Amino acid sequence: MPFLGEPRLGSSPSGHLDTLYPVIPPFSFTDQQHHLINQDSLKGKIYVADFFFTSCPTICPVMKSQMLRVYEAFISEPDLMILSHTIDPYHDTPDVLSRYASDLGVMASRWKFLTGSRDSIFNIAEHYLAFANTDESAPGGFIHSGAFVLIDKQKHIRGYYIGTQEKEVDRLIADIKILLYEP
Amino acid sequence: MNHKHPLFFLQIIIPIVLIFIMLIFLPRFSSMQKWEGQKIYNRHCASCHGKEGNGLKNLFPAIRESSITAPQDLVCLIRNGRNSGSVVAMPPNQTINSKEMKLLLIYLYKEIFRISVPNLLSEEVEKGDAFCNP
């Protein structure tokens, strides 16, 4: 499976000059159970990330119904996590996210709904090659990408999928099966 | 002898031709109406309630078996939205015009609720709009 993002030259762990692909930088967010989630919480796991907000009237519900397919396909696979970041942290508190997750019927151990400072969320979105910003002219007040981003155990971006399209999500499910076998 | 007018056959031909024309155009008209209604439904409703009206778990209610079916009630619900205490509220919609509203309601009755379309729908939609947008 490919590595995505703009590569740069740098020294590899063994000290040689190598092509290095971007990794998701360290982060720290709060999940729907008020637990702190950072890169250590995902050690040895691969995950799918996306950006949304609970009052989003347009693409988010479709994204969530598609992400639910991913969740259900890997319900017995503890090495896959899902991280949904809210881009509306003023409204989407951990308690709101907790109700959203329980209405969706998903377990917090597998699907984290994350909130944090708006700047840190908008900033991390760029590292996932997904954009997120405020836009007063957009329904709901935000614009954001509908991408699902697949991250490997070393935090490299390994896949990028349109989260509103069934065929794209089928491709994501197939890719997860492959990526789970990588060390 | 029974003497027939030379153009007697037209009395039979003309109604038959008219019936054929109606048979050809009526389904087209109703499928166009369905297509228009579906476009409006997909744009404004389907992302939460689903293309078939099945909703999504407890987050977005299924509307197939909706208990709200009176035209005026539907117009008010769509215009004003709804906050039933769920974590996600249904947003109000003032952008659909009354012609689109009627097409949407026809689509809801026929394809989603699968019940008969109420009589005098245009008047009911107008009443709903007058009542909900004072």
Side-chain angles (χ1 to χ4, degrees), chain B residues 24 37-38 106:
Chain B
I24 290 164
Q38 189 171 38
I106 292 172

Side-chain angles (χ1 to χ4, degrees), chain A residues 54 57-58 61-62 64-65 68 72 91 96 99-100 102-104, chain B residues 43-44 46-48 56-60 85-89 91:
Chain A
T54 61
T58 52
V62 183
K64 288 292 156 279
S65 76
L68 196 62
E72 282 167 355
H91 178 266
V96 169
R99 287 175 63 200
Y100 193 91
S102 79
D103 281 355
L104 202 54
Chain B
R43 189 180 312 135
H44 296 285
S47 69
C48 292
L56 182 63
K57 304 282 174 170
N58 292 328
L59 201 51
F60 304 112
S86 155
V87 66
V88 184

Side-chain angles (χ1 to χ4, degrees), chain B residues 63 66-82 90 93 101 104-105 108-109 113 115 118 120-121 123-133:
Chain B
I63 54 171
S66 175
S67 57
I68 302 163
T69 54
Q72 289 191 44
D73 294 345
L74 286 170
V75 173
C76 289
L77 177 59
I78 294 164
R79 289 283 182 227
N80 298 335
R82 190 186 202 190
M90 176 166 160
N93 188 313
M101 181 66 87
L104 173 60
L105 259 54
L108 285 174
Y109 289 122
F113 306 157
I115 56 175
L120 302 169
L121 189 61
E123 287 86 339
E124 290 291 314
V125 168
E126 274 171 32
K127 273 191 220 162
D129 261 338
F131 177 65
C132 297
N133 298 318

